[in-house]
Each structure stands twice: as C-alpha cells, then as structure tokens.
C-alpha cells in the first residue's frame, strides 16, 4: 500500500533528508587516498549522532541477507555496485567509491547516494559518474503528478542505455516514508505510461545504478551483501529522496 504524505510530513522528511545530505557531504570531504572505509562510516555516524538521528541501515536484515548490516553507510568500491560493507580497506588513488546513506529523524526516513573518484580520476570513470547523475536527474524530472512509475523507469533506463552502460536487473528505487523501504518499487528500466500513477504526496527514493561495461549481470560477494559486477568493470550509483508535489518534484536530500 502506498501512503500519501501530507505537506507537513514532507517537510519532516526534508529534515531527515538534510541529515543524509550532510552525512554524504562530510564523507566525501573526508575521503582520500589512505582513508579507510570504516573511518568514513565513523564520519557519517558522527553526523547522525549530532543531528539526533538514527540509521535505518544499521542492523537492517532483509530476507536475502545472511547477517544484519553492520554500518550506517554502504561503501562500494570500483566493481561493487551497491551494499558494500565498510571494512578496513584503505582507499587508493583512482578508486571509484559509491556511498549510500540513510537517516531516521522524528519517525521519518531519508535515503541518498553519490559516487565519486578518489585521487586522480580516470576520464572513463568521470563519464560513468556523470551519466549516473544525469540518469538520476532524468528520473527526478519524470516524477511529476499525472505521470506513472514507468515514466521514471523509462527516463532512467534511456539515459543509461544510450550511453552504453549496463543496468543491474532487479534493483532500483522504492517508496520511502516512515520506513526506508515502502511501496511502490521504482525500476531503473521500464515502459512509459505503465505502472502506478504518480500523485501529490508520494515520496520515492530514485536510484539509478550503472555498470561501465554495458553488461547487466552481477553476483553477491562472499559477505552476502555486496553486489559486484561479474566482469570486474566499475559501477556507479546515484540516489535522491524525492517528493511528488503539485508544484513539481521536490528533492528532499539535495546537497548544498
């Protein structure tokens, strides 16, 4: 069931979303060659703690997971697409890092992700990341009253495919509100004009994921959480929590 949020609830979700935005900004600023993923998780924890927020990631255990998630960020390096568990791995020059973060504040959730390079960037990686952001922008642009979920999916998938990138099947965005994952699912590929009609008060986490090689296949790593490309190619992930309003899409996790 899809819950339509009131305008005051959307404002409350914006407050949660801004905690996420601050955490991601802090993590990006702290990331550098030699910094460990666990240190970046500590940075995000400090932001959540200062805001009086909690993490919907920490302790989360969906049906596919062998263990509860042990961190407040997902930190996915190079060929990891999503759900990377922060470890003692120290970032190296040229790494691509995707960071996903959530926050719960006053009963409402926010969820967002970004991908960036560490140290000296490769042109191919910059293009991959720019395309992920462009796909996200296209999905947000389609998140308007009267459209359908398929319009968002089609907008995202079109950008990814036209650039020659793969799209991991079975993973995409979702509704969000009192819980991090709510209805409806928001695929990263689809047909326009199909799916649930978008209404004022719906709030969605829109999150394209791209594989550089153009292939779609992936596998779960030994930790049971991290999804990695089968061919070792690099991946990118971008995400915002977006409210659908009569005035147009409102990005609740926008970073300043």
């Amino acid at each position: 069931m899809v819950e339509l949020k009131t305008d005051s609830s959307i404002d409350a979700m914006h407050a949660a979303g801004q905690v996420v935005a601050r955490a991601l900004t802090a993590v990006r600023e702290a990331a550098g060659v030699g910094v460990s993923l666990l240190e970046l998780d500590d940075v995000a924890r400090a932001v959540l703690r200062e805001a009086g927020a909690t993490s919907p990631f920490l302790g989360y255990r969906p049906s596919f997971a062998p263990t509860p998630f042990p961190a407040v960020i997902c930190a996915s390096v190079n060929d990891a697409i999503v759900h990377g568990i922060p470890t003692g791995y120290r970032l190296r020059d040229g790494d691509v890092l995707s960071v996903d973060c959530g926050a719960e504040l006053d009963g409402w959730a926010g969820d967002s992700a970004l991908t960036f390079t560490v140290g000296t960037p490769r042109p191919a990686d910059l293009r991959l990341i720019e395309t992920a952001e462009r796909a996200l922008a296209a999905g947000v642009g389609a998140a308007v009253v009267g459209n359908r979920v398929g319009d968002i999916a089609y907008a995202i998938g079109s950008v990814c495919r036209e650039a020659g990138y793969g799209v991991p099947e079975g993973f995409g965005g979702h509704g969000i509100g009192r819980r991090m994952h709510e209805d409806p699912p928001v695929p990263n590929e689809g047909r326009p004009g199909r799916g649930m009609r978008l209404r004022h008060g719906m709030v969605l986490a829109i999150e394209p994921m791209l594989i550089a090689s153009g292939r779609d296949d992936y596998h779960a790593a030994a930790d049971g959480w991290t999804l990695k490309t089968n061919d070792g190619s690099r991946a990118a992930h971008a995400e915002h929590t977006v409210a659908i309003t009569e005035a147009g899409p409102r990005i609740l996790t926008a970073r300043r």
Side-chain angles (χ1 to χ4, degrees), residues 22 49 87 95 115 121 130 139 147 182 185 220 228 230 247:
R22 292 197 297 275
R49 184 167 55 249
T87 65
D95 277 347
T115 301
E130 185 275 332
N147 271 1
E182 297 183 352
K228 307 188 77 171
N230 278 359

PDB file of all heavy atoms in Angstrom, residues 22 49 87 95 115 121 130 139 147 182 185 220 228 230 247:
ATOM      1  N   ARG A  22      23.987  16.042   4.716  1.00  0.00           N
ATOM      2  CA  ARG A  22      25.172  16.473   5.464  1.00  0.00           C
ATOM      3  C   ARG A  22      26.139  15.319   5.686  1.00  0.00           C
ATOM      4  O   ARG A  22      27.363  15.489   5.619  1.00  0.00           O
ATOM      5  CB  ARG A  22      24.746  17.089   6.798  1.00  0.00           C
ATOM      6  CG  ARG A  22      24.006  18.411   6.656  1.00  0.00           C
ATOM      7  CD  ARG A  22      23.959  19.172   7.963  1.00  0.00           C
ATOM      8  NE  ARG A  22      23.237  18.491   9.035  1.00  0.00           N
ATOM      9  CZ  ARG A  22      21.931  18.558   9.218  1.00  0.00           C
ATOM     10  NH1 ARG A  22      21.162  19.258   8.386  1.00  0.00           N
ATOM     11  NH2 ARG A  22      21.354  17.929  10.229  1.00  0.00           N
ATOM     12  N   ARG A  49      24.611  11.306  14.762  1.00  0.00           N
ATOM     13  CA  ARG A  49      24.537  11.478  16.218  1.00  0.00           C
ATOM     14  C   ARG A  49      24.316  12.948  16.576  1.00  0.00           C
ATOM     15  O   ARG A  49      23.486  13.271  17.439  1.00  0.00           O
ATOM     16  CB  ARG A  49      25.831  10.952  16.843  1.00  0.00           C
ATOM     17  CG  ARG A  49      25.849  10.971  18.364  1.00  0.00           C
ATOM     18  CD  ARG A  49      27.007  10.163  18.897  1.00  0.00           C
ATOM     19  NE  ARG A  49      28.289  10.574  18.362  1.00  0.00           N
ATOM     20  CZ  ARG A  49      29.038   9.854  17.530  1.00  0.00           C
ATOM     21  NH1 ARG A  49      28.612   8.664  17.113  1.00  0.00           N
ATOM     22  NH2 ARG A  49      30.193  10.299  17.097  1.00  0.00           N
ATOM     23  N   THR A  87      34.850  -1.687   5.514  1.00  0.00           N
ATOM     24  CA  THR A  87      35.893  -2.517   6.109  1.00  0.00           C
ATOM     25  C   THR A  87      37.119  -1.650   6.361  1.00  0.00           C
ATOM     26  O   THR A  87      37.072  -0.434   6.213  1.00  0.00           O
ATOM     27  CB  THR A  87      36.273  -3.668   5.165  1.00  0.00           C
ATOM     28  OG1 THR A  87      36.867  -3.095   3.966  1.00  0.00           O
ATOM     29  CG2 THR A  87      35.053  -4.503   4.775  1.00  0.00           C
ATOM     30  N   ASP A  95      40.502   5.094  -7.231  1.00  0.00           N
ATOM     31  CA  ASP A  95      39.310   4.317  -6.868  1.00  0.00           C
ATOM     32  C   ASP A  95      38.030   5.090  -7.189  1.00  0.00           C
ATOM     33  O   ASP A  95      38.000   6.327  -7.132  1.00  0.00           O
ATOM     34  CB  ASP A  95      39.298   4.009  -5.367  1.00  0.00           C
ATOM     35  CG  ASP A  95      40.138   2.799  -4.990  1.00  0.00           C
ATOM     36  OD1 ASP A  95      40.538   2.031  -5.890  1.00  0.00           O
ATOM     37  OD2 ASP A  95      40.393   2.617  -3.781  1.00  0.00           O
ATOM     38  N   THR A 115      28.355   8.899  -6.049  1.00  0.00           N
ATOM     39  CA  THR A 115      29.582   8.219  -6.459  1.00  0.00           C
ATOM     40  C   THR A 115      30.612   9.268  -6.832  1.00  0.00           C
ATOM     41  O   THR A 115      30.289  10.275  -7.472  1.00  0.00           O
ATOM     42  CB  THR A 115      29.321   7.281  -7.652  1.00  0.00           C
ATOM     43  OG1 THR A 115      28.327   6.316  -7.290  1.00  0.00           O
ATOM     44  CG2 THR A 115      30.581   6.550  -8.075  1.00  0.00           C
ATOM     45  N   PRO A 121      41.423  11.114 -11.134  1.00  0.00           N
ATOM     46  CA  PRO A 121      40.289  10.459 -11.802  1.00  0.00           C
ATOM     47  C   PRO A 121      40.643   9.958 -13.196  1.00  0.00           C
ATOM     48  O   PRO A 121      41.491  10.517 -13.889  1.00  0.00           O
ATOM     49  CB  PRO A 121      39.249  11.578 -11.881  1.00  0.00           C
ATOM     50  CG  PRO A 121      40.066  12.832 -11.993  1.00  0.00           C
ATOM     51  CD  PRO A 121      41.302  12.584 -11.167  1.00  0.00           C
ATOM     52  N   GLU A 130      29.074  10.902 -14.272  1.00  0.00           N
ATOM     53  CA  GLU A 130      28.238  11.972 -14.832  1.00  0.00           C
ATOM     54  C   GLU A 130      26.958  11.406 -15.425  1.00  0.00           C
ATOM     55  O   GLU A 130      25.874  11.999 -15.289  1.00  0.00           O
ATOM     56  CB  GLU A 130      29.029  12.731 -15.899  1.00  0.00           C
ATOM     57  CG  GLU A 130      28.319  13.936 -16.478  1.00  0.00           C
ATOM     58  CD  GLU A 130      27.377  13.609 -17.629  1.00  0.00           C
ATOM     59  OE1 GLU A 130      27.631  12.593 -18.331  1.00  0.00           O
ATOM     60  OE2 GLU A 130      26.381  14.347 -17.821  1.00  0.00           O
ATOM     61  N   GLY A 139      15.231  10.839 -14.086  1.00  0.00           N
ATOM     62  CA  GLY A 139      14.197  10.185 -13.286  1.00  0.00           C
ATOM     63  C   GLY A 139      13.442  11.168 -12.428  1.00  0.00           C
ATOM     64  O   GLY A 139      12.202  11.109 -12.336  1.00  0.00           O
ATOM     65  N   ASN A 147       2.110  11.551 -14.170  1.00  0.00           N
ATOM     66  CA  ASN A 147       2.933  10.531 -14.799  1.00  0.00           C
ATOM     67  C   ASN A 147       2.759   9.204 -14.068  1.00  0.00           C
ATOM     68  O   ASN A 147       2.046   9.101 -13.070  1.00  0.00           O
ATOM     69  CB  ASN A 147       4.408  10.943 -14.785  1.00  0.00           C
ATOM     70  CG  ASN A 147       4.792  11.746 -16.022  1.00  0.00           C
ATOM     71  OD1 ASN A 147       3.966  12.022 -16.879  1.00  0.00           O
ATOM     72  ND2 ASN A 147       6.058  12.120 -16.103  1.00  0.00           N
ATOM     73  N   GLU A 182       9.361   1.280   1.230  1.00  0.00           N
ATOM     74  CA  GLU A 182       7.911   1.186   1.134  1.00  0.00           C
ATOM     75  C   GLU A 182       7.526   0.985  -0.326  1.00  0.00           C
ATOM     76  O   GLU A 182       8.374   1.038  -1.228  1.00  0.00           O
ATOM     77  CB  GLU A 182       7.258   2.473   1.670  1.00  0.00           C
ATOM     78  CG  GLU A 182       7.514   2.740   3.152  1.00  0.00           C
ATOM     79  CD  GLU A 182       6.802   3.987   3.674  1.00  0.00           C
ATOM     80  OE1 GLU A 182       6.230   4.748   2.845  1.00  0.00           O
ATOM     81  OE2 GLU A 182       6.822   4.198   4.896  1.00  0.00           O
ATOM     82  N   PRO A 185       7.781  -0.118  -5.741  1.00  0.00           N
ATOM     83  CA  PRO A 185       9.117  -0.254  -6.320  1.00  0.00           C
ATOM     84  C   PRO A 185       9.258   0.675  -7.520  1.00  0.00           C
ATOM     85  O   PRO A 185       8.276   0.946  -8.227  1.00  0.00           O
ATOM     86  CB  PRO A 185       9.190  -1.727  -6.732  1.00  0.00           C
ATOM     87  CG  PRO A 185       7.759  -2.149  -6.879  1.00  0.00           C
ATOM     88  CD  PRO A 185       6.965  -1.337  -5.903  1.00  0.00           C
ATOM     89  N   ALA A 220      26.543 -11.712  -5.818  1.00  0.00           N
ATOM     90  CA  ALA A 220      26.752 -11.321  -4.430  1.00  0.00           C
ATOM     91  C   ALA A 220      28.129 -11.801  -3.983  1.00  0.00           C
ATOM     92  O   ALA A 220      28.525 -12.937  -4.260  1.00  0.00           O
ATOM     93  CB  ALA A 220      25.677 -11.918  -3.534  1.00  0.00           C
ATOM     94  N   LYS A 228      28.483  -7.227  -6.868  1.00  0.00           N
ATOM     95  CA  LYS A 228      29.638  -6.886  -7.687  1.00  0.00           C
ATOM     96  C   LYS A 228      29.382  -7.252  -9.144  1.00  0.00           C
ATOM     97  O   LYS A 228      28.660  -8.211  -9.447  1.00  0.00           O
ATOM     98  CB  LYS A 228      30.881  -7.603  -7.171  1.00  0.00           C
ATOM     99  CG  LYS A 228      31.155  -7.379  -5.687  1.00  0.00           C
ATOM    100  CD  LYS A 228      32.483  -7.949  -5.255  1.00  0.00           C
ATOM    101  CE  LYS A 228      33.624  -7.062  -5.677  1.00  0.00           C
ATOM    102  NZ  LYS A 228      34.911  -7.495  -5.084  1.00  0.00           N
ATOM    103  N   ASN A 230      29.977  -8.916 -12.661  1.00  0.00           N
ATOM    104  CA  ASN A 230      30.571 -10.211 -12.984  1.00  0.00           C
ATOM    105  C   ASN A 230      31.882 -10.088 -13.732  1.00  0.00           C
ATOM    106  O   ASN A 230      32.759 -10.948 -13.600  1.00  0.00           O
ATOM    107  CB  ASN A 230      29.588 -11.045 -13.816  1.00  0.00           C
ATOM    108  CG  ASN A 230      28.550 -11.744 -12.958  1.00  0.00           C
ATOM    109  OD1 ASN A 230      28.556 -11.627 -11.736  1.00  0.00           O
ATOM    110  ND2 ASN A 230      27.643 -12.466 -13.606  1.00  0.00           N
ATOM    111  N   ALA A 247       3.531  21.225  -7.267  1.00  0.00           N
ATOM    112  CA  ALA A 247       4.470  22.247  -7.732  1.00  0.00           C
ATOM    113  C   ALA A 247       5.669  21.635  -8.458  1.00  0.00           C
ATOM    114  O   ALA A 247       6.545  22.367  -8.913  1.00  0.00           O
ATOM    115  CB  ALA A 247       4.955  23.076  -6.557  1.00  0.00           C
TER     116      ALA A 247
END
